[in-house]
Amino acid sequence: MVVNKVYGIGVGPGSKDMITLKAQNVLKNTKKLFVPISKHGKTSVAYEIVKEFLNPETEVIELLFPMCKDEILLKKHWDEATEQIINSEGDVSIITIGDVTLYSTLSYVWHRLKDNKINVEILNGISSPFAAASALNIPLVEGDEKLAILPQGKDLENTLEHFDTVVIMKTNDLEEKLKNCNELMNNKEKYIIGIVNRVSCDNQKMDCGKIDEIDFNLVKEYLSLAIIKKIKE
Amino acid sequence: MVVNKVYGIGVGPGSKDMITLKAQNVLKNTKKLFVPISKHGKTSVAYEIVKEFLNPETEVIELLFPMCKDEILLKKHWDEATEQIINSEGDVSIITIGDVTLYSTLSYVWHRLKDNKINVEILNGISSPFAAASALNIPLVEGDEKLAILPQGKDLENTLEHFDTVVIMKTNDLEEKLKNCNELMNNKEKYIIGIVNRVSCDNQKMDCGKIDEIDFNLVKEYLSLAIIKKIKE
């Protein structure tokens, strides 16, 4: 038995109604849904978003993708997940929060499915930097401005010099990353910073201002991001 | 008469079903819809996406935003559009292709509405770089990779050195921009390039490969983009 088609579905940042019509339609007809979880017993934010759209008969299968840095262990989980998906019947779906093309754990399974010549269709979801800009009521980039997205704030110092807007994702220590950056600390008046935790969710928290005005206690967990904008003269 | 609330709605890259549920719901109840057009008599891609969701009684008003570089003329049009929106009754909507936070003409009206203390809510849409990555069947960024988005390929040479993935948007001369880049031309084996025109639309065109393998004739108009990825060793 080999799977016919795999839908890799980005379900958006958290709010149920930020999912696309296409994702909703595919989910309605999905007989088997794979749901990545980081720990047994832990709720999946992505599953919470989609569960109301599912057919009651949909079979839901959790896939364990632990949050760790042990490459060998991670590869074992990705391989196992891929095998489970491939050994399914008909069309199946796998979901992720945000979008599949931007820092998604699903991409590791996506590569493996492609290597096995499996038919994959990726359905986009709204990703968190865009939802955060909307929530903060500021455009990310306009006109000829350049945008950089940095995981864990990698190379922040150098990037700030060359870009108009910098987004930092995938870290739970935004305060440390920002306050260790000399360019930001030496030019506090030059930058406006927006921080958002769990954007678009019921428990969304956010703040916006110069670096000394921000309450970084709001963004002490992983589903947080910062948007740093150079103030135009 | 002053408008109560303005919804700035990103309707996604082109496919009708890539709109969000939230956008669809707001559009269903919209009494007045503003539609930016670049020229009188020219169809709006954004309007084509949403028209089936509208109530038959919705009043549709075109706003002329010409495609030109004359700042004074542009400002006149943005001011007039803002005035028309402000002088409306109740809640109104204004639409754009893609997302409002990423290089949208709407952002100029958004700023003016904010300056006038108007209540604005931005509804996100899928933006074209993400839809293009899905269409090309490649992730944009994974793990600790960095992403840069450059309008018109600005500073491409320098950016390629420091980023894993670079997106070029908002240009109709992708071939010239890429082939004038020494880093790309001197290291042709180091980069994989995906180009997409009118992503997700019925007339979508795309190609993917090394720089000499690409048919740049597919992307000779404005709604095109390129994704340039460094090949990992």
Side-chain angles (χ1 to χ4, degrees), chain A residues 3-90:
Chain A
V3 72
N4 179 55
K5 182 170 183 174
V6 180
Y7 291 96
I9 307 179
V11 301
S15 174
K16 285 187 210 307
D17 57 4
M18 285 175 84
I19 198 166
T20 65
L21 295 190
K22 189 170 185 178
Q24 189 195 20
N25 289 334
V26 168
L27 286 164
K28 263 184 205 162
N29 296 307
T30 281
K31 293 207 178 87
K32 202 181 226 182
L33 176 72
F34 290 97
V35 178
I37 51 163
S38 58
K39 212 188 269 184
H40 283 300
K42 205 174 170 189
T43 328
S44 149
V45 181
Y47 181 68
E48 290 300 311
I49 295 172
V50 306
K51 65 181 184 190
E52 71 179 69
F53 305 124
L54 297 175
N55 189 304
E57 278 132 52
T58 302
E59 185 188 356
V60 177
I61 296 165
E62 291 187 341
L63 297 173
L64 183 65
F65 289 175
M67 291 269 267
C68 72
K69 288 183 178 174
D70 178 345
E71 279 253 342
I72 294 167
L73 183 69
L74 286 173
K75 281 184 180 165
K76 182 180 151 278
H77 283 281
W78 298 332
D79 286 340
E80 282 174 7
T82 309
E83 210 186 308
Q84 251 191 293
I85 294 168
I86 292 178
N87 293 331
S88 301
E89 206 184 331

Side-chain angles (χ1 to χ4, degrees), chain B residues 5-213:
Chain B
K5 181 169 184 174
V6 180
Y7 291 96
I9 306 179
V11 301
S15 174
K16 285 188 211 307
D17 58 4
M18 286 175 83
I19 197 167
T20 65
L21 296 188
K22 188 169 185 180
Q24 189 195 21
N25 289 335
V26 169
L27 285 164
K28 262 185 205 160
N29 297 307
T30 281
K31 293 208 176 86
K32 202 184 227 182
L33 176 71
F34 290 97
V35 178
I37 51 164
S38 57
K39 212 189 269 184
H40 282 299
K42 203 171 169 188
T43 327
S44 150
V45 181
Y47 180 67
E48 289 301 311
I49 295 172
V50 306
K51 66 181 183 191
E52 70 180 69
F53 306 123
L54 297 175
N55 190 305
E57 279 133 51
T58 302
E59 184 187 359
V60 177
I61 297 165
E62 292 186 340
L63 297 173
L64 184 66
F65 288 175
M67 290 268 267
C68 72
K69 289 184 175 173
D70 178 345
E71 279 252 342
I72 294 167
L73 182 69
L74 285 172
K75 282 185 178 164
K76 182 179 150 279
H77 282 281
W78 298 332
D79 286 341
E80 281 173 10
T82 309
E83 210 185 310
Q84 251 192 291
I85 294 168
I86 292 177
N87 293 331
S88 301
E89 208 184 328
D91 297 348
V92 304
S93 297
I94 178 166
I95 52 173
T96 186
I97 196 168
D99 187 78
V100 191
T101 72
L102 191 79
Y103 305 120
S104 172
T105 315
L106 284 205
S107 67
Y108 306 111
V109 172
W110 183 5
H111 282 297
R112 285 164 168 75
L113 292 169
K114 276 166 64 177
D115 292 344
N116 281 281
K117 315 272 181 228
I118 302 296
N119 182 9
V120 179
E121 183 175 344
I122 300 299
L123 271 55
N124 295 105
I126 304 292
S127 51
S128 55
F130 301 93
S134 296
L136 293 161
N137 205 13
I138 48 170
L140 271 179
V141 272
E142 302 167 84
D144 69 346
E145 293 175 357
K146 301 189 297 169
L147 173 67
I149 303 186
L150 308 178
Q152 290 105 33
K154 197 178 161 191
D155 302 332
L156 177 60
E157 192 83 45
N158 182 51
T159 308
L160 280 173
E161 271 180 54
H162 300 283
F163 283 77
D164 304 280
T165 304
V166 176
V167 174
I168 304 181
M169 291 176 70
K170 296 193 10 153
T171 177
N172 47 13
D173 58 358
L174 277 172
E175 180 167 19
E176 195 192 314
K177 295 282 195 281
L178 268 56
K179 293 198 171 162
N180 281 339
C181 174
N182 292 326
E183 167 65 17
L184 273 182
M185 294 310 282
N186 296 337
N187 301 284
K188 291 177 180 176
E189 297 304 310
K190 215 170 114 183
Y191 296 96
I192 186 100
I193 298 167
I195 55 163
V196 189
N197 173 243
R198 293 190 176 262
V199 64
S200 85
C201 299
D202 291 338
N203 53 353
Q204 168 184 294
K205 291 175 200 145
M206 64 178 182
D207 202 358
C208 191
K210 308 276 166 64
I211 193 160
D212 288 337
E213 300 162 359

